[in-house]
Amino acid sequence: MTSYSESLSTIIDASNHMLDELLHYKKPHNLYIPLNYMLSNKGKQIRGVFALLSYQMFCGDDFNDFKDIVLAIEALHNFTLIHDDIMDNAHLRRGKSTINKKWSNNQAILSGDLLLIQSYKHLLNSKFSSLEMYNEFNHVAVQICEGQQLDLDFQFKKEIKREDYFSMIELKTAALIQLSLSIPLYSNHLSKQPLKTDLSVNHNRKIMKKIGLSLGKLFQIQDDYLDLYGKKSAIGKTVGGDILEKKKTFLYAEACRLSTVQQKKDLISIYHSEDSNKIKLVRELYMQLNMKNITLTQIKKLYLEVFSLISKLKIADHKKENLIEFIESVLNRNF
Amino acid sequence: MTSYSESLSTIIDASNHMLDELLHYKKPHNLYIPLNYMLSNKGKQIRGVFALLSYQMFCGDDFNDFKDIVLAIEALHNFTLIHDDIMDNAHLRRGKSTINKKWSNNQAILSGDLLLIQSYKHLLNSKFSSLEMYNEFNHVAVQICEGQQLDLDFQFKKEIKREDYFSMIELKTAALIQLSLSIPLYSNHLSKQPLKTDLSVNHNRKIMKKIGLSLGKLFQIQDDYLDLYGKKSAIGKTVGGDILEKKKTFLYAEACRLSTVQQKKDLISIYHSEDSNKIKLVRELYMQLNMKNITLTQIKKLYLEVFSLISKLKIADHKKENLIEFIESVLNRNF
């Protein structure tokens, strides 16, 4: 168990309690049971906690006012997970069977649909919203679909370029982290506060979005790394699952770029085979190419970017402490 | 080709033009091409036209003001079709291959997701919206999922009751027709018009929702009827597709209710078999039970309900003419 400072614990507890409101005990039970099953297994709620941290930094401590926005973001995120798990034919999520495996693909389609609707329901219920916030939310929801499309398209490509990989994760993963970190700064309420000028709001919003972009990439590359080099108990998924599913990860894109003609030929061939030994074979090739260290170096680079950006926020340093502590805790998982 | 009065043609043309705005020529092309393919094949746009007709009856003639609401409704409807086609394993929709067949289930999941997001994007863009309208829209979107769940559950039931059938179609089909017909009456703009008292708005909203309920049931039962007794060219789907897919239709529910013990046993057995001759066998059983006439009688009953309700609207009779003409034209298709 990670132990948090009291101040950060308060925020994480708040997020935890809020998420219970996504559970519904209504009829038809067959619709709500799979969704409750998925949502009860909460995970780290990174996006909800980010939104709350940002709210605390720029707006105030009355988290309850911001609840519907947190729920909108977490519902949107969990909707994407449910549908991605169908498309990836994934069996495990957060250490438990996915809805598509425990019930069926059809059930998972419907669970995801309902959750996307719930996401908008909360967004529209929030007294904290603004037209600008709605536009940003919609824009990000579309970006996530576009990123998922690129990811699907990668299944049919033998080789992907580094920049294609980054285009995909910026849309599929980073866009929502950017939204989570910047969304309180789209609220109408902000400009009413006498000490906040529009200028500083715009500056901080821009920086928070940049932090989200770097962090989103960092998290995704870390996910790619942990899928192969993490522990099953910690990641809640099959180790090497990305290789089995022929996912085009950071490791794969970089390995293609850095390999000799022969190594690349071998990698592409093994990666797209159904060889029962393929995880081991790919791991060996990655070792020859030093992929573990190359990936850790990239993670380190993004990490430094994030902290350089945090220093640029126009806000008292003590107000950044919870955000920094939370980022560190997420990054230190499973290493 | 149906020929419409000039007045109704104007509305249908308006809806037609509006729907083009759901098409996007953006990257990644693989995401937008399947959606454009589906949306270019417009169908009758019953829900969009209903919303425009209601807008004309209660608000005014400047349809452009109401465009985003029409698009929100049509996008919501088409989203449900795309995902239902996956769940039903349907091959044809409006006479063309479904997205799931022409591309893949994964592509159809993503196309539907994007369209649901577009639906909310338009709802949130409309200057015509109100909190009450948002709540109603969300409520109906949830109802559609609940109805789809009941429909999925029916796949695993050998027999369904008449009231279960009606619960399902009220949620899955009628709720959105109700919304289409009543949504202009949820607008904030209405109460600002001097001649409209809140009292008449509430009365008309209630009646329009009742009309939608009866019409929604009528359309679904007509669909069930036409699936077996319509022409392939007119319905754009396989004749008897519901029987092949073991769908629990009005005809099936009523046949179960009205059959002898032996007939019911035969019906259930044939209906759930993979017998290549099953459409013919079910048709024969339905003939013994007079299902064709029983279904037509039910359609007639609902038809009379609709027109009795229309007479109760507190609005000048000439303002009802386009609605009546459109309902007649939709009901007369393919008979």
Side-chain angles (χ1 to χ4, degrees):
Chain A
M1 278 302 284
T2 321
S3 90
Y4 300 112
S5 67
E6 201 182 316
S7 172
L8 180 55
S9 291
T10 309
I11 292 183
I12 293 171
D13 287 350
S15 167
N16 246 310
H17 280 112
M18 286 175 186
L19 256 65
D20 288 334
E21 296 202 19
L22 289 176
L23 309 178
H24 294 282
Y25 301 93
K26 296 202 305 177
K27 283 186 179 175
H29 296 308
N30 286 349
L31 179 60
Y32 292 97
I33 286 170
L35 208 47
N36 289 349
Y37 160 86
M38 155 83 178
L39 294 170
S40 311
N41 194 9
K42 286 175 189 165
K44 282 211 172 242
Q45 308 152 49
I46 291 174
R47 291 147 195 86
V49 173
F50 272 155
L52 283 173
L53 285 164
S54 177
Y55 178 80
Q56 191 188 42
M57 286 163 76
F58 301 108
C59 304
D61 281 312
D62 194 352
F63 300 135
N64 218 41
D65 280 355
F66 202 60
K67 185 175 69 187
D68 280 303
I69 300 294
V70 172
L71 292 175
I73 284 181
E74 279 288 329
L76 181 66
H77 175 59
N78 281 279
F79 140 73
T80 66
L81 297 183
I82 293 170
H83 280 189
D84 287 3
D85 282 343
I86 309 171
M87 298 188 220
D88 293 342
N89 193 27
H91 292 227
L92 283 176
R93 162 77 59 192
R94 295 170 188 156
K96 285 171 74 179
S97 282
T98 54
I99 296 181
N100 46 304
K101 282 301 147 197
K102 195 172 162 76
W103 283 273
S104 63
N105 281 358
N106 283 353
Q107 192 59 54
I109 292 171
L110 199 54
S111 296
D113 291 346
L114 182 62
L115 199 51
L116 178 55
I117 292 163
Q118 304 286 13
S119 168
Y120 276 100
K121 197 169 168 171
H122 287 290
L123 180 70
L124 295 178
N125 266 345
S126 173
K127 55 180 176 186
F128 233 83
S129 49
S130 67
L131 189 59
E132 223 182 341
M133 191 188 281
Y134 290 160
N135 288 339
E136 195 61 19
F137 193 93
N138 287 326
H139 177 62
V140 168
V142 170
Q143 282 184 305
I144 295 170
C145 292
E146 291 176 347
Q148 177 64 9
Q149 181 68 50
L150 295 180
D151 203 11
L152 286 180
D153 292 348
F154 285 177
Q155 286 175 12
F156 305 101
K157 289 187 180 175
K158 297 284 182 196
E159 192 185 340
I160 55 155
K161 292 193 181 120
R162 188 185 157 94
E163 58 263 35
D164 294 335
Y165 172 82
F166 276 107
S167 299
M168 186 273 283
I169 67 168
E170 284 172 18
L171 293 164
K172 182 170 166 167
T173 308
L176 186 55
I177 306 284
Q178 291 182 275
L179 180 70
S180 309
L181 282 170
S182 61
I183 197 164
L185 292 156
Y186 284 96
S187 163
N188 275 333
H189 289 222
L190 270 184
S191 49
K192 289 176 198 151
Q193 297 187 21
L195 291 176
K196 308 248 161 50
T197 65
D198 275 348
L199 218 62
S200 81
V201 169
N202 282 341
H203 170 86
N204 284 333
R205 193 198 279 177
K206 217 169 99 186
I207 301 294
M208 287 301 270
K209 287 180 82 169
K210 282 188 180 175
I211 295 171
L213 184 61
S214 298
L215 259 184
K217 291 192 276 190
L218 203 172
F219 288 153
Q220 187 56 56
I221 293 171
Q222 194 190 44
D223 265 1
D224 290 357
Y225 176 92
L226 291 173
D227 186 83
L228 189 60
Y229 301 116
K231 288 181 196 146
K232 185 181 172 183
S233 60
I235 58 174
K237 294 187 284 194
T238 313
V239 173
D242 286 346
I243 297 172
L244 294 177
E245 291 296 324
K246 312 177 182 73
K247 295 290 270 184
K248 303 305 180 295
T249 63
F250 177 80
L251 291 81
Y252 184 79
E254 281 294 85
C256 284
R257 189 170 70 92
L258 300 168
S259 52
T260 63
V261 175
Q262 186 56 47
Q263 281 173 322
K264 186 150 93 179
K265 217 177 132 190
D266 292 347
L267 175 63
I268 291 175
S269 158
I270 297 163
Y271 211 80
H272 296 87
S273 74
E274 304 300 326
D275 191 325
S276 62
N277 211 20
K278 67 188 277 196
I279 297 179
K280 185 167 165 282
L281 294 171
V282 171
R283 195 193 286 268
E284 278 166 15
L285 254 170
Y286 283 173
M287 196 160 70
Q288 288 169 30
L289 292 163
N290 196 25
M291 285 316 305
K292 195 170 174 176
N293 279 332
I294 288 169
T295 309
L296 288 173
T297 304
Q298 180 66 38
I299 289 174
K300 181 86 182 175
K301 183 176 166 280
L302 287 164
Y303 175 89
L304 292 175
E305 253 175 52
V306 167
F307 283 88
S308 156
L309 285 164
I310 290 177
S311 74
K312 290 184 183 156
L313 286 171
K314 286 184 183 158
I315 184 178
D317 277 345
H318 74 272
K319 289 203 165 194
K320 303 173 183 175
E321 284 168 8
N322 283 334
L323 177 67
I324 291 171
E325 184 188 345
F326 187 65
I327 292 173
E328 296 281 12
S329 89
V330 176
L331 293 179
N332 284 329
R333 62 177 179 168
N334 324 313
F335 273 100
Chain B
M1 278 302 284
T2 321
S3 92
Y4 299 112
S5 68
E6 203 183 313
S7 172
L8 179 54
S9 291
T10 309
I11 292 183
I12 293 171
D13 287 350
S15 166
N16 245 310
H17 281 113
M18 287 175 186
L19 257 65
D20 288 334
E21 296 201 21
L22 290 176
L23 309 177
H24 294 282
Y25 302 93
K26 296 201 306 177
K27 283 187 179 177
H29 296 307
N30 287 349
L31 179 60
Y32 292 96
I33 287 171
L35 208 46
N36 289 348
Y37 160 86
M38 155 84 178
L39 294 170
S40 311
N41 194 9
K42 286 175 191 167
K44 282 209 173 246
Q45 308 153 48
I46 291 173
R47 291 146 196 86
V49 173
F50 272 155
L52 283 172
L53 285 164
S54 176
Y55 178 79
Q56 191 188 41
M57 286 163 76
F58 301 108
C59 304
D61 281 311
D62 195 352
F63 300 135
N64 217 40
D65 281 356
F66 202 59
K67 185 175 66 187
D68 280 304
I69 299 295
V70 171
L71 293 174
I73 284 181
E74 279 287 330
L76 181 66
H77 175 59
N78 281 280
F79 140 73
T80 66
L81 297 183
I82 294 170
H83 280 188
D84 287 3
D85 282 343
I86 310 170
M87 299 188 220
D88 293 343
N89 193 27
H91 291 227
L92 284 175
R93 163 75 60 190
R94 296 169 188 157
K96 284 172 74 180
S97 282
T98 53
I99 297 181
N100 46 304
K101 283 302 148 195
K102 196 172 163 76
W103 283 274
S104 63
N105 281 357
N106 283 353
Q107 192 59 55
I109 291 171
L110 199 53
S111 296
D113 291 347
L114 181 62
L115 199 50
L116 178 55
I117 292 163
Q118 304 286 14
S119 168
Y120 276 100
K121 196 169 170 172
H122 287 290
L123 180 70
L124 295 177
N125 266 345
S126 173
K127 55 181 178 186
F128 234 83
S129 49
S130 67
L131 190 59
E132 223 182 341
M133 192 188 280
Y134 290 159
N135 288 339
E136 194 61 19
F137 193 94
N138 287 326
H139 177 62
V140 168
V142 170
Q143 283 184 305
I144 295 170
C145 292
E146 292 176 347
Q148 178 64 8
Q149 182 67 51
L150 294 181
D151 203 11
L152 286 180
D153 292 347
F154 286 176
Q155 286 174 12
F156 304 102
K157 290 187 179 173
K158 297 284 183 196
E159 192 184 341
I160 55 155
K161 292 192 182 125
R162 189 186 157 93
E163 58 264 36
D164 295 335
Y165 172 81
F166 276 106
S167 299
M168 186 273 282
I169 67 169
E170 284 172 18
L171 293 164
K172 182 170 167 167
T173 307
L176 187 54
I177 305 283
Q178 292 182 276
L179 180 70
S180 309
L181 282 171
S182 61
I183 197 166
L185 293 156
Y186 284 97
S187 163
N188 275 333
H189 289 223
L190 270 184
S191 49
K192 288 176 199 150
Q193 298 187 20
L195 291 175
K196 308 248 160 50
T197 64
D198 275 348
L199 218 62
S200 81
V201 169
N202 283 341
H203 170 85
N204 285 332
R205 193 198 280 176
K206 217 170 97 186
I207 300 294
M208 288 300 271
K209 287 180 80 170
K210 282 188 180 174
I211 294 171
L213 183 60
S214 297
L215 259 184
K217 291 192 275 192
L218 202 173
F219 288 153
Q220 188 56 55
I221 293 171
Q222 194 190 43
D223 265 1
D224 291 358
Y225 177 91
L226 291 173
D227 186 82
L228 189 59
Y229 300 116
K231 290 183 194 142
K232 185 182 172 183
S233 61
I235 58 175
K237 294 187 283 193
T238 314
V239 173
D242 286 347
I243 297 172
L244 295 177
E245 291 296 323
K246 312 178 182 75
K247 295 289 271 186
K248 302 305 179 297
T249 62
F250 177 80
L251 290 81
Y252 184 79
E254 281 294 85
C256 283
R257 189 169 70 92
L258 299 167
S259 53
T260 63
V261 175
Q262 186 57 46
Q263 281 173 323
K264 186 150 91 178
K265 217 176 131 190
D266 292 347
L267 175 64
I268 291 175
S269 158
I270 298 164
Y271 211 81
H272 295 88
S273 74
E274 304 299 327
D275 192 325
S276 62
N277 211 20
K278 67 187 277 199
I279 296 179
K280 186 168 166 283
L281 294 170
V282 171
R283 195 194 286 269
E284 279 166 14
L285 254 170
Y286 283 174
M287 196 161 69
Q288 289 169 30
L289 292 163
N290 196 25
M291 284 316 304
K292 195 170 173 177
N293 279 329
I294 287 168
T295 309
L296 287 173
T297 304
Q298 179 67 39
I299 289 174
K300 181 86 182 175
K301 182 176 166 279
L302 287 164
Y303 176 88
L304 293 175
E305 252 176 53
V306 168
F307 283 88
S308 156
L309 285 163
I310 290 178
S311 74
K312 290 184 183 157
L313 286 170
K314 286 185 184 159
I315 184 178
D317 277 344
H318 73 272
K319 290 201 166 195
K320 304 173 183 174
E321 284 169 7
N322 282 334
L323 178 67
I324 291 171
E325 186 188 344
F326 187 64
I327 291 173
E328 296 281 12
S329 90
V330 177
L331 292 179
N332 284 328
R333 63 177 178 168
N334 324 313
F335 273 103

